[in-house]
Amino acid sequence: MSEVHHGRGYVYSIQYHLVWCVTYRHHILHGDIDTYVKKLLNQIALDNDSQIIEMESDKDHIHLFIECKPQHYIPNIMKAFKGVSARLLLKAYPELKKSLWGGPLWNPSYFVATVSENTDEQIRHYIQHQKKK
């Protein structure tokens, strides 16, 4: 069950399920690259005052289950996760540019859904089992 948080003059519990793909759905998220991108995403979440509850990737896409404050705006959260991770990942692994024909790391679109107490466990289970399909 999700926690209720208290802000200055408000009480909230806000969770989102976020998914985005590698450009052209190339299978690049494995081994050290997969480990590094997850480390980056955790740091980006911390830097943006949000929390990753669950995270998993499956070769060509990433699933995050995050918790954030009411002040957060989803397009800004996605810009931070995708923009910062792409810049740092391509800097650390410049050979990825060849796999992507010199294009961007992430596809420009994404999926977002709100998560409620009723769907919390379903989303966690789904994300945890991404690589087990």
Side-chain angles (χ1 to χ4, degrees):
M1 183 159 162
S2 50
E3 273 187 59
V4 174
H5 302 278
H6 299 269
R8 192 176 190 125
Y10 54 91
V11 178
Y12 67 94
S13 177
I14 302 171
Q15 294 88 32
Y16 295 103
H17 178 197
L18 307 172
V19 184
W20 67 92
C21 301
V22 174
T23 299
Y24 312 119
R25 299 292 298 245
H26 282 286
H27 292 186
I28 63 167
L29 300 174
H30 48 77
D32 291 344
I33 293 170
D34 188 47
T35 302
Y36 187 60
V37 77
K38 289 174 181 173
K39 180 181 170 190
L40 290 173
L41 293 171
N42 275 312
Q43 187 59 53
I44 294 163
L46 283 174
D47 293 346
N48 287 276
D49 205 16
S50 57
Q51 178 188 0
I52 295 174
I53 299 167
E54 290 289 341
M55 172 175 31
E56 193 53 88
S57 63
D58 188 17
K59 300 175 196 126
D60 64 357
H61 65 281
I62 294 185
H63 285 265
L64 296 183
F65 177 15
I66 69 163
E67 184 165 63
C68 58
K69 293 183 175 185
Q71 296 87 343
H72 287 104
Y73 176 57
I74 289 297
N76 290 346
I77 291 171
M78 291 306 298
K79 184 178 179 181
F81 279 133
K82 291 170 72 177
V84 174
S85 66
R87 183 172 44 83
L88 296 175
L89 197 61
L90 291 172
K91 185 178 178 182
Y93 297 92
E95 66 275 12
L96 288 177
K97 273 287 198 189
K98 288 179 187 170
S99 301
L100 303 168
W101 302 316
L105 176 65
W106 304 121
N107 184 299
S109 60
Y110 60 88
F111 167 83
V112 60
T114 55
V115 178
S116 71
E117 291 176 17
N118 299 328
T119 57
D120 178 294
E121 279 305 312
Q122 289 172 307
I123 299 296
R124 285 175 188 259
H125 183 265
Y126 179 76
I127 292 172
Q128 290 168 355
H129 292 84
Q130 278 301 292
K131 289 190 175 174
K132 297 175 185 168
K133 292 184 213 171

